[in-house]
Amino acid sequence: MTALWIAHVSVHDEEAYGRYVKEATACVAAHGGAFIARGGKYRQMEGPDRTRNVVARFPTFDDAVACYESPRYQDALKIALAAADRELVIVEEA
C-alpha cells in the first residue's frame, strides 16, 4: 500500500526553507516518492493554521519511513526546523 507524508508548516525564513525544499525534493525522489500537494490554496477546517501544507506519496509505508530516517533527509530536516514550525505525519493510504 502507498503511504503519504502530510506536513503542516509555518515558514519564518523563506531563504533557508528554500534550501530545505531543494534537498527534500531530491531525497523524496530517491526513495520513490513524489510531491502531490505543495503549498497552494487551502482552507483550515480544524486545528492550528499553518500557511504551507504539503503531501508526498511513496510506494510503501516503509519507503516513506526510510526516506524520513535517511541521513540525507535528516541533514535537510535540520535546515527546515531552523526555518519553520512544522508537524509531519506518515500515514498508509487505504
Side-chain angles (χ1 to χ4, degrees):
M1 294 187 125
T2 57
L4 303 173
W5 277 11
I6 303 172
H8 305 287
V9 185
S10 293
V11 177
H12 50 78
D13 183 341
E14 293 287 343
E15 184 179 330
Y17 204 78
R19 291 192 306 274
Y20 158 76
V21 167
K22 183 178 177 182
E23 282 300 311
T25 300
C27 190
V28 165
H31 286 86
F35 287 97
I36 58 174
R38 203 175 221 182
K41 186 176 179 178
Y42 76 97
R43 182 174 169 186
Q44 186 68 32
M45 304 305 281
E46 295 182 27
D49 186 32
R50 299 282 191 196
T51 57
R52 185 174 175 85
N53 299 283
V54 180
V55 179
R57 178 176 284 127
F58 290 83
T60 68
F61 187 85
D62 290 342
D63 291 326
V65 171
C67 180
Y68 187 88
E69 293 178 344
S70 70
R72 184 175 186 183
Y73 186 77
Q74 288 299 305
D75 286 344
L77 182 58
K78 290 174 190 171
I79 299 168
L81 293 176
D85 298 315
R86 45 185 268 140
E87 293 90 30
L88 186 142
V89 63
I90 299 173
V91 296
E92 191 172 64
E93 284 191 271

